């Protein structure tokens, strides 16, 4: 399974919609549960986390380290953690979903990562080609 880090914030309308619409859709939920390990973090949270390089940071500090500026935001990481500790934080990601996409595109982003579409083209191009 691939690691996805899902950032949210209490009171965020788009985060609420993601939970009530996107993640409540059984097709989306089943695809994600089958193919991804999802870690939910709070953009201003205080729980301690450990980054790939061993740094221990609060959720808020980890988010700042990765440039998480708004929610919802989903980070996608490679299949293995080999070599990640030596990379700059954002260079560890293979893809990022910034903001909330419509349900079909939301699911497609997870499919894009699972199918390694990021190895050949950016998500918008992959999605256009796939939809054609």
């Amino acid at each position: 399974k691939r690691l996805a880090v899902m950032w949210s914030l209490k009171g965020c309308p788009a985060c609420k919609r993601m939970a009530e619409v996107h993640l409540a859709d059984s097709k989306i939920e089943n695809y994600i549960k089958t193919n991804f390990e999802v870690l939910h973090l709070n953009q201003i949270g205080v729980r301690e986390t450990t980054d790939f390089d061993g740094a221990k940071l609060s959720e808020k500090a980890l988010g700042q380290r990765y440039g998480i500026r708004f929610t919802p935001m989903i980070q996608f990481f490679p299949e293995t953690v080999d070599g990640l500790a030596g990379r700059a934080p954002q260079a560890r990601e293979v893809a990022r979903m910034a903001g909330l996409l419509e349900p079909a595109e939301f699911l497609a982003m997870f499919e894009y990562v699972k199918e390694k579409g990021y190895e050949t083209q950016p998500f918008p191009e992959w999605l256009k080609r796939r939809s054609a």
Side-chain angles (χ1 to χ4, degrees):
K1 289 188 177 185
R2 302 292 292 262
L3 173 63
V5 177
M6 190 175 291
W7 293 89
S8 61
L9 193 57
K10 186 177 179 180
C12 161
C15 300
K16 182 177 180 186
R17 182 168 186 260
M18 181 175 66
E20 293 177 352
V21 176
H22 298 60
L23 299 175
D25 180 313
S26 61
K27 181 180 178 185
I28 294 172
E29 179 189 28
N30 290 335
Y31 188 86
I32 293 172
K33 280 186 175 181
T34 300
N35 298 292
F36 292 85
E37 288 294 339
V38 178
L39 175 61
H40 292 263
L41 295 177
N42 179 341
Q43 185 186 15
I44 59 170
V46 296
R47 290 183 298 173
E48 184 178 83
T49 63
T50 303
D51 202 350
F52 296 104
D53 60 7
K56 294 192 180 308
L57 308 154
S58 68
E59 291 166 287
K60 181 179 180 178
L62 183 70
Q64 290 171 339
R65 186 179 222 204
Y66 280 88
I68 306 301
R69 305 267 185 261
F70 57 88
T71 58
M73 178 90 63
I74 303 175
Q75 299 171 280
F76 297 93
F77 293 92
E79 291 176 298
T80 72
V81 297
D82 297 339
L84 288 188
R87 294 185 197 163
Q90 288 186 30
R92 297 171 182 158
E93 301 171 14
V94 295
R96 179 182 280 212
M97 184 187 308
L100 185 61
L101 302 173
E102 288 303 313
E105 288 79 20
F106 182 87
L107 174 57
M109 180 62 138
F110 281 87
E111 293 169 339
Y112 169 74
V113 172
K114 168 83 169 71
E115 297 169 16
K116 300 180 186 178
Y118 54 83
E119 290 181 350
T120 59
Q121 57 196 352
F123 177 67
E125 291 174 26
W126 181 88
L127 188 59
K128 279 185 212 169
R129 201 177 91 201
R130 186 169 184 251
S131 301

